Amino acid sequence: MYFLTGWPRRLMCPLKSEEKPFHIQPDSHRVFFAVLSQTQISIWYSRPSVLIVSYKESAKAASQFGSYQQAEWRPDSTMIAVATTNGYILLFDVLAAGEDKYLYEPVYPKGSLRVKVTPSYKEEQCAPALSVELKKVMDLQAPITSMQSMQEDLVVATADGLLHLIHWDTVTNGRKDINVCTVPFSVDLQSSRGPSQDFEGVHIRDMEYCVTLDGFAVVFDDGRVGFITPISSRFSAEQLRGVWAQDVIDGTCVAVNNKYRLMAFGCASGSVLVYTIDAATGSMQLSHKLELTAKHYPDTWNKTGAVKLIRWSPDCSVTMVTWECGGLSLWSVFGAHLICTLGEDFAYRSDGTKKDPIKISSMSWGAEGYHLWVISSDVSQPLESESENKATTQQSDILQFQFIKSALTANPCMSNQEQVLLQGEDRLYLTCGDTAQAQSTTTSSANSDHQASKERNTLPNTISISQGLSTLLGHRHWHVVQIQSTYLESNWPIRFAAIDTLGQCVAVAGRFGFAHYSFLTRKWKLFGNITQEQNMVVTGGLVWWNDFIVIACYNLIDQQEELRLYLRSSNLDNAFANITKLYSETLLINVFRDMVILFRADCSICLYSIERKQDSTNPTASIELLQEVSMSRYIPHPALVVSVTLTSVRTETGITLKAPQQACAAESIMLNLAGQLIMMQRDRSGPQVREKETTANQKKLLPFCAPVVLAQCVENVWTTCRANKNKRHLLEALWLACGEAGMKVWLPLFPRDNRKPHSFLSRRIMLPFHINIYPLAVLFEDALVLGATNETVLYDGLPWAGVAGAGEPLEALFPFCTVERTSQIYLHHILRQLLVRNLGEQALLLAQSCAGLPYFPHVLELMVHVVLEEEATSREPIPDPLLPTVAKFITEFPLFLQTIVHCARKTEYALWNYLFAAVGNPKDLFEECLMAQDLETAASYLIILQNMEVPAVSRQHATLLFNTALEQGKWDLCRHMIRFLKAIGSGETGTPPTTPTTQEPNSTGGFEFFRHRSISFSQSAESLAAWKFSLQKTLSMPSGPSAKRWSKESECAENMYIDMMLWRHARRLLEEVRLKDLGCFSAQLGFELIGWLCKERTRAARVDDFVMALKRLHEDFLWPFPVIPASSINSPFRNSRYRTAVGGRLLKSQSADSLINNEMDTSASNTPRSHSWLDSLNSASREMDTASSHGAHTQEAFLSPLLNKGDDCSIGSATDLTETSSMVDGDWTMVDENFSTLSLTQSELEHISMELANKGPHKSQVQLRYLLHIFTEAGCPEWCVIIGMIMREASVISQVVSCLQSAEVPVDTVLNIKNGLLAVDAWASTDCLGYKPFLDLIRPQLQKLVEVTQEQVQPEAFQPTSTAKLVEPVCPWPEDSRGGPASLNTSVQSEEGSGASRLEEEIPGEEQEEQPLEEGTFDCTLS
């Protein structure tokens, strides 16, 4: 509503004086301010805020009259009455000093048109020169307690109990005296006699005249309060009657609100009681209280002292209160608290020390409420700096607080209701974010204002702006528009502002004329003819209709009320305006679809229709009067009407789900009459026959029913003209802001599934709810309320605050104030209210219509949380708890499980039992999550179970979740489950594990076996583009045996329990030939793959069906089946040595395939027979790796495994990775320009392209090479053969075959590989001829296998003592039999030297850790 901004200003007085001012009084227009000191009266001008004239009493007169006390202006600002302490009234004439005499004149730049063209430009710009002359002195012979101007009379109350009526023009009429004791007082005006004897001997301490109530609100010296009104038009003792409030005995001051007919009485207790007069009985009724609460102001709420002053703003929408002990507080008209300077940064310095609140002796609002003029009683003089000369100006101690306010306070039109528009003295604050983005959705070009308008003219009236508004909620910044200075300097203050429906144009109106601004062009548009601007006064406000501005104004030349339409895109000139003459002054204007509604000063309402006409290049609009409705029977005074609007809201008729189109018609008039919301519906009770004939004319003439009061204490009303059949509840509702009572919504109730509604059920319901912000706009489809709030910034730490003495500047005394945008969800309040009233069906309809909103899950959470907090912490038993109803309600939505667990995690543990007693057992909810495959939510329920159940139950459910997460590859969740299971086993149940959702995607915290290893596969954008691959490996060896995962010291049942689950999962993956998943599983969870494969060599790691395994690998790694080129039968590339030479010529580096024949002929003979076959497999692998690392340009470092001398069968490091840079491996884009000079035949080029086509993705190559290395280290020759085949690397086959020739290799392994290769050969002959060239290449190796299997070997040769621990007999799985630590004897030894496997996942920046093997750290990069 009203918001403080910036720092207060201190006004400098140019006259030296020893007297300090203590009282300020504005004239009726708030242009001039009278400032009193003890013997001096000064008149200040509002803009610029300068001193005009000062009158000082002579010493002799001052001793006779006494010091000045208070002042009152005559309504026409020509006289001032000043009361003195000795009971005198001094009447001063305020005279203009003659023509062309001004104190200040503007200096314009040379050639400015304003000087020549603007009529009377000086008086618009400058403070006029005035003179003050003492005209008459009146002695009332008693101390004066209060003065009040009433039309042509001045009413003065004196301490002897008299009321003096003094005519301003004292020549024509003298004065009347009325004794207060003779005025009969009663509780209400209907009583026959009143207890007047109670008021003997009292006098009036303070009073104020209320125009709309036609009477005086008074405070007596004994603290009682009352209201005095004349029964007839004559103001005499016989005709006066009084009513008094029975419960008030400590009144101190009073202020009246004319627009809302309210009387605010300040009390000695520090609270303000706001009364209204009951229209029926005439008694005083308490409307509401304004008081600080202990909740928000625990230190000061009861230490403020008595209320000293109350001041209503000029538009009567807010009131400012100050107390004897100091401080300022701002409330809206019906008690919503907006600002208070007794708390937060206003009351405390940045170091935490308390400030003394500012004490105020007098205050007054400036024009339009943009300033609050304050005279403080204790702000001391600032110190004079050395640079200033000694004749510095004297401080006047007048402070100006600056405010910005909502445009709804003065111009409550519909287009201002869905966007927050704040207006300040010289600028506008808007919430319409990036207009360029908004414009792109509606117009395609904005090169010129006219062109943009032509395109926008094609937009329909009913365009929905909800989607655009939703995108504007993401930031908190305002769009600040500076009002055009040329317009502002001659038309200050700005009185009305309006924004269009799309938020792209804004119009403002000041004293004369108006101007508008376009966000598309970032320019203001002013009247070209300044005379036209100065001859028009906007009286009733201005609104936007499409791209027309509709204005209710007064024509000063013709002395005529008019309704004007100006097209936004045309020049601002009356020649382009559509002008309609009116017969009474317009007070309010609004637009609904294609209708304009006017409220006029004769208490009548006029409805006009607007029609657009595209006659020429500039479109025009025509206005036609539809209907006039007289409201004089219901409205006692036209100034009481706060807002008027047309709406499609109805009570009974036609509310069904069948006819949403009827909801678009203007069915009702909503009138806010002094806070009472009155509705007048169309009267459809008459015959509704000839619907087909002239439907429009029938609608015009349809009368309105008698008015109905819908609500009390209404400050703002929101309704929309849009229709949306999916969200009818929200769009056809009526939204009300009711001050301290929060908000209310008048919600339609629709029968479900087109059923006939029950006759006893109402069609609408009024639901109240509280929100934490002051509402300024309602987004109907988005179920949001927009608002604004004051924020403060302290600057008292700057050097100026450290000056010793009392000269603390304002910047240190007050924080800097800013205004922030806020928004709040209200849907959960409405759903709850419907459930309280057993309207669950309506709540479900409403919730389902909003289920698509992004914050709908939060709405459900809030609803559960609020009800739970209220009911579970209630001290009294609740007869009909709401929580079970809410729980049943949210089960209708798929988000039920998440909602409950999120709410529980944000609630105290003490309330969980109450919550789950209503929503169900957490074990059942956990199982529902598993069935729904919602593992993250199930993990959250696990934390609930850990706190509410015994550890055995938690372990059981955690195991279920762990196995499911393994199946689905949720590795992050798996890591958390491992940690969780360990925590249960080690007794750490007091510390619940962190939620999976809050962790980083690859968090490694919580695993001792994972902490000291890291292997990172990272690919930058450049390397992706260039098909370069960079592998960075970091290995570090922790000190001490405690770092080893399966060391015997740290072995426990929990580790065993977890390991068995991991083994079982790994075996399932291997049996199902899911090598890619196995690699991911090992890499993500730190699973020791090599050691486990060594144990499973004769069981799960056997391959039974080579063809199926080969096909599955092709599918898993997206590896294409090879195709055979037509010319490859006699291709030179079949000669491997020639192929190596070509590869070297192409890329000056060796191809991986060039290694095939370098080792092929010699590997068998070079392998020492003295080692076991596993050692030979590893050594051959290392030789192959070493041979491939001597490229000319590519330098590759490899870490060879460290073999334990005492154990011939130790496992090598899992981090060796053979990755070469060759054309066949994918770096074919890097072929240099010399390629064109190579003498390659067509067949050679064709073969190269075929090789490229037969390779899989680069990522798959890396993964397969890595798996090959793992299986080589683990001694699984079957898998080595299959991976070698899919990559078509004969060196791998050669190496395996040479190792299989060892006598130590089990016969069944050799037979299995031989039979597998033969099966692949048979399959290739029929189904995949592309494999035939490669099979031909390795045929010598296959022949060797056949020879080996034909040899007769003694059985004991296969079981040498050196390998007995590794080659185990087939036995039941240890994890199935839940074996103890004894079953780990082989794995412990076999894995002491092993590293963890890693499978590269192509995620940029992803880091993974690996268990170290060798001492020291090696950083290796492969490219």
Side-chain angles (χ1 to χ4, degrees):
M1 188 62 81
Y2 271 64
F3 305 96
L4 263 176
T5 175
W7 278 299
R9 290 192 291 222
R10 197 190 300 249
L11 301 183
M12 310 290 289
C13 180
L15 301 176
K16 278 195 171 184
S17 172
E18 298 300 321
E19 300 175 356
K20 284 193 174 182
F22 60 84
H23 182 78
I24 186 166
Q25 186 68 30
D27 71 338
S28 58
H29 300 293
R30 301 181 190 270
V31 176
F32 300 106
F33 291 81
V35 177
L36 297 185
S37 54
Q38 285 181 335
T39 62
Q40 187 170 328
I41 177 170
S42 307
I43 296 179
W44 289 68
Y45 195 58
S46 56
R47 179 183 168 94
S49 302
V50 290
L51 177 67
I52 296 177
V53 65
S54 187
Y55 176 91
K56 185 165 174 59
E57 203 68 66
S58 64
K60 180 182 177 183
S63 63
Q64 177 191 349
F65 302 145
S67 58
Y68 292 169
Q69 255 185 324
Q70 53 185 309
E72 187 70 26
W73 287 81
R74 187 170 174 167
D76 60 2
S77 304
T78 57
M79 291 182 75
I80 302 176
V82 176
T84 65
T85 52
N86 291 347
Y88 287 89
I89 295 286
L90 310 182
L91 295 175
F92 292 91
D93 273 336
V94 181
L95 306 171
E99 292 186 5
D100 297 329
K101 290 188 178 178
Y102 298 94
L103 251 62
Y104 305 90
E105 292 190 1
V107 178
Y108 290 102
K110 290 182 179 179
S112 171
L113 296 174
R114 303 292 296 182
V115 184
K116 301 171 185 174
V117 180
T118 311
S120 63
Y121 72 97
K122 290 183 179 177
E123 67 183 49
E124 309 294 350
Q125 310 303 322
C126 331
L130 303 176
S131 64
V132 174
E133 296 177 3
L134 182 60
K135 179 180 180 183
K136 189 175 179 63
V137 178
M138 302 182 71
D139 185 7
L140 300 185
Q141 299 174 348
I144 296 166
T145 57
S146 182
M147 279 198 309
Q148 185 68 36
S149 181
M150 183 186 72
Q151 294 149 11
E152 291 303 311
D153 292 310
L154 179 69
V155 182
V156 182
T158 52
D160 55 4
L162 293 179
L163 270 179
H164 304 272
L165 261 73
I166 304 170
H167 201 279
W168 280 107
D169 191 357
T170 53
V171 178
T172 58
N173 193 2
R175 73 176 205 234
K176 295 177 186 175
D177 298 341
I178 299 169
N179 194 333
V180 179
C181 300
T182 63
V183 177
F185 274 84
S186 56
V187 177
D188 57 54
L189 293 178
Q190 291 180 337
S191 302
S192 56
R193 62 171 191 258
S196 57
Q197 67 273 13
D198 289 348
F199 285 85
E200 287 184 7
V202 299
H203 64 267
I204 294 173
R205 176 195 291 185
D206 192 16
M207 65 179 180
E208 189 167 338
Y209 179 66
C210 182
V211 178
T212 52
L213 285 173
D214 189 25
F216 285 91
V218 295
V219 178
F220 295 101
D221 63 327
D222 61 357
R224 284 181 290 180
V225 300
F227 178 71
I228 301 174
T229 181
I231 299 172
S232 66
S233 57
R234 295 181 58 218
F235 198 87
S236 63
E238 299 79 26
Q239 300 296 330
L240 291 181
R241 286 287 301 275
V243 292
W244 59 288
Q246 293 174 286
D247 303 328
V248 186
I249 54 169
D250 61 345
T252 56
C253 57
V254 66
V256 300
N257 185 323
N258 284 303
K259 197 172 197 66
Y260 290 88
R261 297 212 287 187
L262 296 175
M263 298 171 286
F265 295 97
C267 300
S269 63
S271 59
V272 177
L273 305 177
V274 184
Y275 278 86
T276 183
I277 297 292
D278 182 68
T281 64
S283 61
M284 291 178 66
Q285 289 188 336
L286 180 66
S287 170
H288 56 278
K289 283 186 181 181
L290 310 177
E291 55 189 357
L292 300 181
T293 59
K295 179 182 176 183
H296 295 108
Y297 299 94
D299 299 336
T300 55
W301 68 278
N302 56 355
K303 301 173 185 172
T304 57
V307 177
K308 187 170 186 180
L309 294 169
I310 306 169
R311 293 288 183 266
W312 291 99
S313 62
D315 56 22
C316 297
S317 59
V318 293
T319 183
M320 186 68 82
V321 177
T322 184
W323 295 273
E324 292 288 352
C325 296
L328 287 167
S329 189
L330 188 70
W331 275 277
S332 76
V333 61
F334 288 112
H337 198 198
L338 302 173
I339 303 165
C340 183
T341 65
L342 292 177
E344 299 175 343
D345 288 346
F346 288 99
Y348 296 93
R349 297 183 180 87
S350 52
D351 58 3
T353 56
K354 202 170 187 323
K355 302 179 194 172
D356 292 327
I358 175 176
K359 291 186 179 177
I360 292 165
S361 59
S362 183
M363 63 181 177
S364 172
W365 288 96
E368 298 297 323
Y370 293 129
H371 298 122
L372 182 74
W373 294 59
V374 166
I375 296 181
S376 57
S377 53
D378 60 352
V379 176
S380 43
Q381 308 288 336
L383 297 176
E384 296 178 2
S385 60
E386 297 175 3
S387 60
E388 295 177 350
N389 57 30
K390 293 183 181 179
T392 54
T393 56
Q394 179 71 20
Q395 277 300 333
S396 175
D397 286 339
I398 300 177
L399 301 180
Q400 260 189 2
F401 289 87
Q402 303 170 69
F403 287 86
I404 58 176
K405 63 176 183 175
S406 167
L408 292 173
T409 57
N411 195 31
C413 61
M414 193 175 288
S415 61
N416 286 351
Q417 290 183 346
E418 288 191 45
Q419 295 167 76
V420 180
L421 172 62
L422 304 181
Q423 59 190 74
E425 182 186 19
D426 58 353
R427 66 198 65 194
L428 301 172
Y429 293 75
L430 301 100
T431 58
C432 49
D434 186 5
T435 52
Q437 187 178 357
Q439 174 66 5
S440 66
T441 63
T442 55
T443 63
S444 57
S445 172
N447 296 332
S448 69
D449 204 356
H450 178 65
Q451 185 176 352
S453 72
K454 276 178 69 178
E455 296 184 14
R456 284 187 52 213
N457 289 346
T458 62
L459 292 174
N461 274 354
T462 57
I463 183 167
S464 172
I465 57 171
S466 172
Q467 294 303 318
L469 287 169
S470 300
T471 62
L472 303 179
L473 300 173
H475 61 83
R476 301 184 70 190
H477 303 294
W478 294 98
H479 195 115
V480 183
V481 178
Q482 196 78 27
I483 297 173
Q484 225 280 344
S485 58
T486 310
Y487 179 78
L488 197 63
E489 65 184 10
S490 56
N491 297 294
W492 184 91
I494 298 300
R495 295 163 55 236
F496 304 104
I499 189 168
D500 73 337
T501 321
L502 295 172
Q504 294 178 354
C505 304
V506 64
V508 296
R511 261 198 311 185
F512 301 104
F514 74 99
H516 62 87
Y517 176 84
S518 168
F519 289 98
L520 307 176
T521 60
R522 310 275 180 183
K523 288 180 181 178
W524 281 93
K525 192 170 281 191
L526 276 62
F527 273 94
N529 185 340
I530 297 172
T531 311
Q532 291 182 5
E533 175 190 280
Q534 298 295 312
N535 288 333
M536 178 179 73
V537 178
V538 177
T539 55
L542 67 169
V543 294
W544 288 89
W545 178 74
N546 295 352
D547 47 353
F548 285 90
I549 307 166
V550 187
I551 293 174
C553 63
Y554 181 71
N555 188 332
L556 293 173
I557 293 181
D558 300 341
Q559 306 282 305
Q560 175 71 50
E561 300 286 341
E562 294 174 345
L563 182 65
R564 298 187 181 184
L565 270 75
Y566 291 87
L567 182 64
R568 178 185 64 81
S569 55
S570 63
N571 291 333
L572 206 49
D573 194 287
N574 292 345
F576 300 107
N578 181 300
I579 300 176
T580 305
K581 292 186 178 182
L582 306 175
Y583 302 102
S584 179
E585 181 186 355
T586 302
L587 300 181
L588 290 165
I589 185 172
N590 211 335
V591 167
F592 178 85
R593 295 191 176 273
D594 295 334
M595 297 173 72
V596 177
I597 180 170
L598 304 181
F599 178 75
R600 306 191 303 196
D602 59 359
C603 294
S604 64
I605 292 174
C606 291
L607 300 181
Y608 290 86
S609 68
I610 315 180
E611 188 181 348
R612 186 191 192 90
K613 292 184 177 178
Q614 192 79 33
D615 294 336
S616 56
T617 53
N618 278 337
T620 58
S622 63
I623 293 184
E624 181 185 354
L625 178 65
L626 292 179
Q627 196 169 0
E628 285 195 45
V629 184
S630 175
M631 297 289 293
S632 54
R633 291 173 55 195
Y634 312 108
I635 298 176
H637 196 287
L640 297 175
V641 178
V642 180
S643 67
V644 61
T645 181
L646 272 172
T647 171
S648 57
V649 170
R650 288 170 289 176
T651 50
E652 299 296 329
T653 50
I655 292 197
T656 63
L657 283 174
K658 293 180 180 176
Q661 69 275 3
Q662 290 182 8
C664 306
E667 288 295 329
S668 312
I669 293 175
M670 294 285 176
L671 210 65
N672 185 350
L673 178 64
Q676 273 193 339
L677 187 64
I678 294 174
M679 181 175 81
M680 292 192 307
Q681 294 190 89
R682 297 263 186 202
D683 186 3
R684 297 184 177 273
S685 58
Q688 302 288 312
V689 229
R690 296 180 300 168
E691 288 265 334
K692 297 177 182 177
E693 305 173 15
T694 62
T695 317
N697 293 332
Q698 290 291 325
K699 282 187 180 177
K700 287 180 200 174
L701 304 174
L702 212 56
F704 286 91
C705 300
V708 180
V709 176
L710 290 183
Q712 305 278 357
C713 301
V714 177
E715 295 181 359
N716 277 319
V717 184
W718 291 272
T719 177
T720 182
C721 58
R722 294 200 307 277
N724 183 340
K725 63 181 179 181
N726 297 323
K727 293 188 179 179
R728 290 190 62 195
H729 277 96
L730 296 177
L731 281 159
E732 294 181 30
L734 194 69
W735 305 89
L736 316 175
C738 301
E740 67 170 351
M743 288 188 75
K744 292 180 182 177
V745 55
W746 202 36
L747 200 69
L749 302 179
F750 298 112
R752 197 172 187 182
D753 303 327
N754 294 335
R755 292 186 300 221
K756 188 176 180 181
H758 295 294
S759 58
F760 58 85
L761 280 181
S762 172
R763 306 296 197 278
R764 282 185 177 270
I765 188 169
M766 188 72 78
L767 302 175
F769 59 92
H770 277 275
I771 59 172
N772 300 325
I773 63 174
Y774 189 88
L776 296 176
V778 174
L779 303 188
F780 300 94
E781 290 97 334
D782 298 308
L784 278 174
V785 173
L786 303 185
T789 182
N790 259 119
E791 297 290 339
T792 51
V793 186
L794 279 173
Y795 285 95
D796 57 358
L798 296 180
W800 60 50
V803 181
E808 212 172 12
L810 293 176
E811 290 81 4
L813 282 173
F814 296 97
F816 185 83
C817 294
T818 59
V819 183
E820 296 284 351
R821 295 173 54 183
T822 55
S823 61
Q824 190 169 338
I825 304 167
Y826 56 73
L827 198 55
H828 59 289
H829 293 297
I830 301 175
L831 296 176
R832 181 188 172 188
Q833 293 288 344
L834 288 170
L835 292 177
V836 166
R837 289 159 174 79
N838 290 323
L839 292 169
E841 197 174 75
Q842 297 294 324
L844 195 60
L845 279 174
L846 174 58
Q848 285 169 347
S849 71
C850 299
L853 294 173
Y855 34 81
F856 184 71
H858 185 56
V859 169
L860 296 181
E861 247 181 82
L862 277 173
M863 185 164 62
V864 177
H865 184 77
V866 171
V867 176
L868 173 65
E869 290 277 344
E870 282 183 15
E871 294 187 357
T873 57
S874 171
R875 295 180 181 178
E876 303 292 330
I878 300 170
D880 188 16
L882 184 64
L883 190 60
T885 311
V886 171
K888 186 179 178 184
F889 173 76
I890 61 174
T891 54
E892 298 287 335
F893 299 94
L895 300 164
F896 165 68
L897 296 166
Q898 294 98 307
T899 303
I900 295 300
V901 76
H902 290 168
C903 182
R905 294 291 305 277
K906 296 170 187 174
T907 312
E908 294 178 38
Y909 169 69
L911 309 183
W912 283 6
N913 284 326
Y914 188 86
L915 172 65
F916 288 105
V919 301
N921 192 314
K923 289 189 282 189
D924 300 336
L925 300 177
F926 173 86
E927 288 164 10
E928 282 186 46
C929 291
L930 282 187
M931 289 171 63
Q933 301 292 311
D934 189 356
L935 303 191
E936 282 75 16
T937 306
S940 296
Y941 275 107
L942 205 54
I943 294 162
I944 307 288
L945 288 170
Q946 183 195 12
N947 285 278
M948 297 183 72
E949 302 285 347
V950 294
V953 175
S954 300
R955 180 203 300 262
Q956 177 189 354
H957 288 80
T959 306
L960 276 173
L961 180 58
F962 185 37
N963 285 329
T964 313
L966 283 173
E967 281 300 317
Q968 295 191 9
K970 300 283 182 71
W971 307 121
D972 198 43
L973 182 57
C974 291
R975 285 197 290 270
H976 285 291
M977 294 316 302
I978 291 174
R979 174 176 167 265
F980 185 82
L981 285 165
K982 287 192 169 190
I984 293 176
S986 58
E988 296 171 11
T989 51
T991 0
T994 52
T995 8
T997 51
T998 60
Q999 295 295 320
E1000 290 298 319
N1002 288 294
S1003 170
T1004 59
F1007 309 99
E1008 61 265 26
F1009 62 82
F1010 202 51
R1011 196 172 292 144
H1012 301 289
R1013 285 171 277 174
S1014 72
I1015 178 167
S1016 139
F1017 291 77
S1018 61
Q1019 278 187 297
S1020 65
E1022 293 92 359
S1023 65
L1024 280 172
W1027 286 45
K1028 291 275 184 189
F1029 181 70
S1030 168
L1031 172 67
Q1032 295 181 341
K1033 293 187 288 184
T1034 306
L1035 290 160
S1036 59
M1037 184 70 183
S1039 58
S1042 63
K1044 299 187 179 182
R1045 177 185 171 194
W1046 279 315
S1047 64
K1048 292 179 182 177
E1049 293 86 350
S1050 64
E1051 225 172 74
C1052 66
E1054 286 307 319
N1055 281 345
M1056 190 65 212
Y1057 182 69
I1058 295 166
D1059 292 341
M1060 284 193 298
M1061 286 191 283
L1062 294 174
W1063 294 341
R1064 187 184 300 120
H1065 184 67
R1067 183 167 7 96
R1068 186 182 301 115
L1069 293 178
L1070 200 55
E1071 286 172 348
E1072 295 173 4
V1073 199
R1074 290 161 58 188
L1075 285 197
K1076 190 165 189 174
D1077 291 344
L1078 180 68
C1080 288
F1081 162 71
S1082 166
Q1084 295 285 351
L1085 298 186
F1087 181 69
E1088 303 288 355
L1089 193 55
I1090 294 177
W1092 178 78
L1093 284 171
C1094 287
K1095 291 189 301 173
E1096 299 290 330
R1097 190 183 300 127
T1098 59
R1099 293 179 297 195
R1102 283 180 63 89
V1103 182
D1104 296 326
D1105 187 342
F1106 273 58
V1107 175
M1108 187 272 290
L1110 194 63
K1111 289 180 179 178
R1112 187 64 190 265
L1113 286 188
H1114 273 287
E1115 179 187 338
D1116 253 13
F1117 290 93
L1118 304 176
W1119 200 272
F1121 286 96
V1123 292
I1124 184 163
S1127 59
S1128 66
I1129 289 110
N1130 295 315
S1131 170
F1133 277 80
R1134 295 187 63 173
N1135 183 336
S1136 61
R1137 296 191 182 276
Y1138 178 69
R1139 180 173 166 188
T1140 305
V1142 171
R1145 286 162 62 193
L1146 286 176
L1147 290 176
K1148 299 183 175 65
S1149 71
Q1150 281 187 317
S1151 164
D1153 293 337
S1154 70
L1155 301 169
I1156 293 172
N1157 297 295
N1158 292 342
E1159 299 287 339
M1160 192 182 295
D1161 299 330
T1162 58
S1163 60
S1165 59
N1166 289 344
T1167 304
R1169 285 273 177 175
S1170 59
H1171 285 279
S1172 70
W1173 68 275
L1174 183 60
D1175 286 334
S1176 64
L1177 188 62
N1178 288 336
S1179 61
S1181 169
R1182 286 194 301 279
E1183 288 168 11
M1184 181 180 73
D1185 291 349
T1186 310
S1188 64
S1189 64
H1190 298 303
H1193 280 226
T1194 308
Q1195 304 211 346
E1196 298 153 342
F1198 298 99
L1199 302 175
S1200 57
L1202 180 67
L1203 295 177
N1204 282 347
K1205 293 178 182 176
D1207 189 1
D1208 287 340
C1209 52
S1210 297
I1211 311 300
S1213 166
T1215 54
D1216 294 5
L1217 182 59
T1218 305
E1219 172 61 39
T1220 59
S1221 179
S1222 71
M1223 186 168 80
V1224 181
D1225 281 342
D1227 280 340
W1228 55 276
T1229 54
M1230 306 304 292
V1231 176
D1232 60 22
E1233 295 166 0
N1234 295 330
F1235 183 81
S1236 59
T1237 64
L1238 294 175
S1239 55
L1240 293 177
T1241 64
Q1242 179 66 28
S1243 63
E1244 291 167 355
L1245 288 173
E1246 185 181 347
H1247 192 93
I1248 290 171
S1249 64
M1250 276 300 166
E1251 286 291 329
L1252 292 176
N1254 292 340
K1255 289 284 182 183
H1258 187 70
K1259 185 169 101 172
S1260 297
Q1261 292 183 44
V1262 178
Q1263 293 170 343
L1264 283 169
R1265 285 187 187 281
Y1266 200 66
L1267 285 171
L1268 172 64
H1269 186 83
I1270 293 296
F1271 285 116
T1272 305
E1273 295 283 351
C1276 301
E1278 291 107 320
W1279 282 113
C1280 295
V1281 168
I1282 291 173
I1283 296 175
M1285 288 188 67
I1286 193 173
M1287 299 183 71
R1288 296 194 310 288
E1289 293 194 2
S1291 62
V1292 176
I1293 312 296
S1294 168
Q1295 169 198 345
V1296 172
V1297 170
S1298 64
C1299 294
L1300 292 178
Q1301 294 177 33
S1302 165
E1304 299 162 356
V1305 179
V1307 174
D1308 57 344
T1309 302
V1310 182
L1311 277 171
N1312 195 28
I1313 294 176
K1314 183 198 78 169
N1315 293 335
L1317 286 174
L1318 290 173
V1320 169
D1321 190 37
W1323 166 75
S1325 301
T1326 57
D1327 294 344
C1328 187
L1329 291 173
Y1331 265 114
K1332 291 300 287 181
F1334 180 72
L1335 289 169
D1336 293 344
L1337 187 64
I1338 63 169
R1339 199 163 295 284
Q1341 315 304 320
L1342 183 58
Q1343 191 61 40
K1344 286 182 184 178
L1345 272 185
V1346 175
E1347 293 169 4
V1348 169
T1349 54
Q1350 288 172 351
E1351 295 176 9
Q1352 298 297 320
V1353 185
Q1354 296 298 325
E1356 58 268 14
F1358 288 97
Q1359 307 221 347
T1361 53
S1362 60
T1363 58
K1365 291 181 183 178
L1366 280 177
V1367 185
E1368 299 175 2
V1370 178
C1371 65
W1373 309 107
E1375 56 268 35
D1376 286 345
S1377 60
R1378 308 229 172 213
S1383 63
L1384 286 176
N1385 57 349
T1386 55
S1387 66
V1388 171
Q1389 292 183 11
S1390 65
E1391 291 173 13
E1392 278 180 354
S1394 72
S1397 67
R1398 279 293 171 272
L1399 190 68
E1400 185 268 335
E1401 290 290 307
E1402 200 159 68
I1403 301 171
E1406 179 177 309
E1407 293 187 0
Q1408 301 165 343
E1409 299 187 1
E1410 180 157 339
Q1411 178 73 18
L1413 177 70
E1414 304 185 35
E1415 293 184 8
T1417 301
F1418 301 85
D1419 292 333
C1420 314
T1421 302
L1422 297 170
S1423 59

